[in-house]
Amino acid sequence: MQTEVLPVSEASLARAAERIRNGEIVGFPTETVYGLGANALCAQAVLRIFEAKGRPADNPLIVHVSSVEEIPPLVRGIPQAARKLMEAFWPGPMTLILPKADCIPNAVSAGLDTVGIRLPSCEAARALIRAAGCPIAAPSANRSGRPSPTTAQHVLEDMDGRIPLILDGGPCQVGLESSVIDATGEVPVILRPGGITPEMVQAVLGGVRVDEHVMSPLHEGEVARSPGMKYKHYAPKAHTVIYAGESGRVVSAICARYDEAVRAGERVAILGFDEHDFGGRTCISLGSEAHPEQAAARLFAALRELDERGETLALCEAVDTAGIGLAVMNRMGRAAAFDIVRV
Ligand code: AMP
Ligand code: MG
């Protein structure tokens, strides 16, 4: 199969929508990461997503809509807390877990009786959903286990020959997958952190819990409330280690480990902030320490760059976990299998 990459335009959106109506899958931009979309109401189309990604069948997909009015037929009721979050943060990088209606195929929910719904802010994504005339089920458009794609080029790297069409809408604004929030219980629970932060949810609902597995690995036999959390994700080929602590000590510890590893014949790169001086050692920038949204937008591209350069060891500066920093540390933590050195 030949994979076409087309810039977002009225004509390319119409072409992509037609593909989706025909039961095919397409790559498309959102404000979080690029998605791999199919008609969410067609089980056969949805199965093609799992096939193209090599995604385990027990990892559910998020259903994307272009307006709140499209949601009632997809769910069995919307709790009050969920309504408040929708009003506050949609359109935007937040997925709400809701009880699913029968029209959502089991392939989408991976057999769960709930479904994740999201109303994206990206204009191109909403235009595609409108033009297709159906909700679009879409996970991130990477091959399973690879970092999520934040450019059309990343999608092409992973999906060339596997899908017919990628819409190119430029780099993603947020750069990390959506916050997944279960608002069906008494206290909302953040199952996966993202651009909508615990602080923001707390301000709207007056209470919030963050799932304990956001900053720790899942142990044998434990059940993940957010199935994606149990898979090794975002992992570059390089062995990845995070350094946390006072920044002067972090920089010294990273430089010392770097030099030792280079002497041992490793290919090493640092993922670090612009404010810090690593003395000319190879460093991929996470942007400014004062603006963690830059680290969010750059992290996945940085992890892909490690692979391209053939690095065998990556030494990463930890990010403060306030605000979107929690989402950055969750993804970086999983890339490093939570190997965090505290100095
Ligand atoms: P992706 O779109 O690739 O980022 O993956 C979607 C992720 O959303 C899954 O891996 C799950 O962790 C989460 N998710 C989707 N639907 C549900 C659901 N019904 N319940 C809990 N988590 C979900
Ligand atoms: Mg994903």
Side-chain angles (χ1 to χ4, degrees):
M1 181 188 297
Q2 193 80 13
T3 303
E4 256 189 316
V5 182
L6 298 174
V8 169
S9 68
E10 232 171 89
S12 64
L13 282 166
R15 210 133 122 196
E18 193 187 341
R19 296 267 189 197
I20 289 193
R21 280 195 301 275
N22 286 340
E24 294 175 273
I25 58 180
V26 301
F28 68 101
T30 82
E31 72 277 20
T32 57
V33 300
Y34 273 73
L36 197 57
N39 180 350
L41 303 180
C42 173
Q44 255 177 328
V46 165
L47 289 176
R48 288 184 157 175
I49 293 178
F50 286 87
E51 210 178 299
K53 278 186 63 100
R55 184 176 176 103
D58 65 350
N59 195 357
L61 308 181
I62 292 167
V63 174
H64 296 74
V65 294
S66 67
S67 79
V68 173
E69 287 73 53
E70 294 158 31
I71 297 174
L74 308 176
V75 301
R76 283 176 290 113
I78 303 174
Q80 194 52 35
R83 277 183 203 281
K84 284 191 186 162
L85 292 175
M86 288 176 183
E87 261 167 48
F89 302 123
W90 272 357
M94 173 183 75
T95 297
L96 286 175
I97 303 302
L98 296 168
K100 96 174 183 68
D102 290 341
C103 66
I104 302 282
N106 280 327
V108 170
S109 63
L112 298 173
D113 60 1
T114 53
V115 60
I117 308 264
R118 186 163 99 81
L119 174 54
S121 63
C122 172
E123 285 296 340
R126 290 214 306 272
L128 176 64
I129 300 163
R130 269 197 306 274
C134 60
I136 293 185
S140 50
N142 51 289
R143 301 233 35 211
S144 233
R146 293 264 294 151
S148 295
T150 54
T151 65
Q153 183 56 39
H154 293 163
V155 181
L156 188 65
E157 278 166 27
D158 283 18
M159 292 294 159
D160 196 9
R162 298 179 157 264
I163 61 176
L165 176 60
I166 301 166
L167 291 177
D168 185 350
C172 299
Q173 199 198 331
V174 178
L176 297 177
E177 306 87 342
S178 57
S179 307
V180 175
I181 305 179
D182 182 344
T184 55
E186 239 161 70
V187 181
V189 186
I190 298 188
L191 303 180
R192 175 175 78 182
I196 302 303
T197 65
E199 293 89 336
M200 291 161 80
V201 175
Q202 169 81 32
V204 169
L205 295 182
V208 65
R209 217 161 62 71
V210 176
D211 191 88
E212 60 188 307
H213 295 300
V214 160
M215 279 313 294
S216 67
L218 208 62
H219 296 292
E220 281 278 312
E222 276 185 303
V223 176
R225 289 186 65 186
S226 178
M229 294 281 218
K230 73 173 176 242
Y231 293 104
K232 187 180 172 192
H233 253 211
Y234 321 120
K237 292 184 189 102
H239 177 64
T240 304
V241 184
I242 299 171
Y243 284 77
E246 185 273 319
S247 55
R249 285 203 299 271
V250 165
V251 171
S252 309
I254 286 180
C255 290
R257 173 85 178 262
Y258 183 108
D259 294 344
E260 185 190 319
V262 167
R263 280 195 296 273
E266 297 234 44
R267 289 195 48 109
V268 195
I270 297 165
L271 265 57
F273 290 113
D274 295 345
E275 286 89 341
H276 300 153
D277 180 5
F278 292 98
R281 294 170 181 84
T282 303
C283 183
I284 302 173
S285 168
L286 290 175
S288 164
E289 189 173 27
H291 298 282
E293 67 280 4
Q294 294 179 358
R298 292 178 188 200
L299 179 67
F300 286 144
L303 295 178
R304 281 177 181 261
E305 195 178 330
L306 289 172
D307 280 356
E308 263 161 42
R309 299 161 64 113
E311 310 293 4
T312 57
L313 177 65
L315 305 172
C316 310
E317 271 197 84
V319 178
D320 186 80
T321 53
I324 197 166
L326 181 67
V328 178
M329 278 307 284
N330 166 260
R331 307 310 193 275
M332 196 190 267
R334 298 184 63 203
F338 292 99
D339 185 352
I340 304 177
V341 178
R342 299 188 195 274
V343 293

